[in-house]
Amino acid sequence: MKIGIDKIGFYTPNKYVDMVDLAMARNVDPNKYLKGIGQEKMSVADISQDAVSMAINATKQYLPKIDIDKVGLLIVGTESSVDESKSASLFVKSALKLKASVRTFEIKEACFGLTAAIFTAYDYISTHADKTAIVIGSDIARYGLNTAGEVTQGAGSISLLIKKDPAMLSINPQTSAYSKDINDFWRPTGSATALVDGKYSTQVYLDFFEYTFKNYQKQNHVDISNFKALLYHLPFTKMGLKANNLAIANLAERDAKKLTNEFKNSIELSKQVGNIYTGSLYLGLLSLLVHAELKLNDLIGLFSYGSGAMAEFFTFNIEAGYRNEIIDPYLILNRRKRLTVAEYEKIFTESLQAPIDGQSLVSDEQAGMWYFAGTKNHIRQYCEKSR
Ligand code: CAA
């Protein structure tokens, strides 16, 4: 039985900072951010957007096209959790009006969370073929103003519908996993921003990639020339480029060129959004689907990396109907407003604190989008912007 991705929804907040503006404000050569890091814009979440509201907005993109009574599993992968106990997915389930019989929970392993959710959904569908699963990655990447990581922030969500006989991509169950208890990036409880050993994190990412990729090829008798495209977790696009350069190092020119072209197609959206942690790899997948010319059964390799650290290399095959199912991500991107650096700093600082209990938050989002409206008796409130 084929199991895989049938729909993809994407959301990013309605504001961004331009990397040239940020570079000027930080007294840095803009080419460091544009070329050295490989980012052009970075989405900024104000206090009224969080992991829950972004997850709802991403899923709402395809919700009218699916039978919600068939949804049997809903998982939210996030490292920007809004509660230490209650899952983000319960707020999402309520907003989406899913049935009470849905199994739902939150899952965490840094940026690996959505990949963990996808393979959990794969196992679920293999024993519940008449059901579907919604899996979501939703995060706000925050390192802090004037930090080295500042240029690698971002915010957004990717939502996937997993089912049998999928229209877009089928998932292959063979994978190559690797984990090790290390301290490259983490966020202590109570801290709104992440802590990171930046240079070390980039080195272990590459080490984990080399190990899982080689292992996958060896165990599954797959040669790199069999891949139409290789996709990478994209904390910033230069990170993916470094992994891609390792992958193609000993390849014939024709194969190297093919993989490099498809890599370029896969980073178009991330360059405009920044790091969305759990969703980053799948934002790269959406970018490839939008920009590349793909055909039935094309083999796509994916490298998922979550700091701490857990990595896995696995593959999808393109399904015939993928193009008809694409929901144009540029409709979401092009509605964003450009912030001045001063506006971004104010919004960033404000969003680090929880709002005063009882204070209602307003949103400048489009009608129909969901937002975090503040807390009442310390209970989070989510609202749909009225039409
Ligand atoms: N023109 C062109 N390029 C320039 C330049 C200029 N004027 N000035 C500098 N550069 C280049 C540098 O040569 C360097 O390139 P290479 O990496 O190819 O050597 C690049 O710009 C970055 O410059 P620095 O080495 O000086 O790096 P930095 O001190 O500014 O920090 C960083 C970069 C470590 C990535 C930092 O942004 C950071 O800590 N980010 C957060 C951590 C992160 O994303 N890690 C990724 C792996 S962990 C992960 O993947 C999980 C996750 O999502 C967080």
Side-chain angles (χ1 to χ4, degrees), residues 3-258:
I3 298 171
I5 299 172
D6 193 71
K7 305 267 182 290
I8 304 180
F10 162 61
Y11 174 82
T12 194
N14 63 357
K15 303 175 184 65
Y16 73 91
V17 177
D18 189 277
M19 287 300 117
V20 176
D21 294 347
L22 186 65
M24 302 298 247
R26 301 291 178 253
N27 274 322
V28 170
D29 177 354
N31 276 332
K32 173 170 178 184
Y33 291 178
L34 298 173
K35 295 196 164 60
I37 296 289
Q39 291 302 130
E40 293 174 5
K41 291 175 185 163
M42 154 178 120
S43 285
V44 178
D46 66 28
I47 194 168
S48 73
Q49 286 297 329
D50 66 14
V52 169
S53 57
M54 295 193 302
I56 298 168
N57 288 331
T59 311
K60 289 268 288 190
Q61 280 213 305
Y62 63 75
L63 205 68
K65 294 164 91 182
I66 72 167
D67 179 353
I68 57 168
D69 288 342
K70 283 197 166 175
V71 179
L73 178 68
L74 168 71
I75 310 175
V76 174
T78 184
E79 50 183 304
S80 317
S81 201
V82 299
D83 193 286
E84 294 282 1
S85 172
K86 181 175 170 177
S87 74
S89 67
L90 277 159
F91 295 105
V92 176
K93 181 196 159 236
S94 165
L96 301 180
K97 298 192 169 60
L98 300 185
K99 290 204 300 195
S101 56
V102 168
R103 180 187 296 159
T104 187
F105 52 91
E106 184 176 310
I107 209 164
K108 178 178 75 176
E109 187 352 72
C111 306
F112 183 74
L114 180 49
T115 302
I118 289 171
F119 281 97
T120 304
Y122 181 97
D123 291 345
Y124 174 79
I125 300 297
S126 62
T127 52
H128 301 78
D130 56 330
K131 302 275 193 196
T132 63
I134 293 175
V135 292
I136 309 170
S138 193
D139 276 301
I140 303 175
R142 288 191 183 104
Y143 293 90
L145 303 177
N146 289 295
T147 62
E150 182 177 31
V151 61
T152 66
Q153 300 177 131
S157 179
I158 291 281
S159 176
L160 308 171
L161 183 78
I162 310 290
K163 64 186 275 294
K164 78 163 189 192
D165 298 331
M168 301 187 88
L169 298 126
S170 50
I171 299 169
N172 298 309
Q174 305 81 6
T175 75
S176 162
Y178 186 72
S179 61
K180 197 172 177 185
D181 176 11
I182 59 166
N183 300 300
D184 59 330
F185 166 105
W186 65 104
R187 185 165 69 85
T189 302
S191 171
T193 51
L195 303 178
V196 62
D197 189 342
K199 294 278 158 58
Y200 175 59
S201 72
T202 61
Q203 190 49 54
V204 287
Y205 171 112
L206 294 175
D207 293 345
F208 278 46
F209 168 65
E210 277 200 294
Y211 180 82
T212 55
F213 184 45
K214 276 191 188 141
N215 210 31
Y216 183 90
Q217 292 176 87
K218 203 166 114 196
Q219 282 178 352
N220 298 290
H221 311 290
V222 176
D223 184 75
I224 182 167
S225 59
N226 300 138
F227 288 99
K228 170 68 175 170
L230 292 173
L231 306 179
Y232 308 89
H233 166 55
L234 295 171
F236 50 98
T237 68
K238 177 71 167 290
M239 188 74 250
L241 178 65
K242 287 184 184 192
N244 196 62
N245 286 343
L246 281 179
I248 65 171
N250 300 313
L251 272 190
E253 200 184 323
R254 199 167 137 262
D255 288 332
K257 209 168 154 193
K258 174 185 75 178

Side-chain angles (χ1 to χ4, degrees), residues 304-326:
S304 183
Y305 179 80
S307 287
M310 167 74 218
E312 200 149 348
F313 187 90
F314 50 94
T315 60
F316 294 165
N317 282 107
I318 295 290
E319 288 297 327
Y322 87 91
R323 191 158 280 286
N324 294 337
E325 295 297 338
I326 293 173

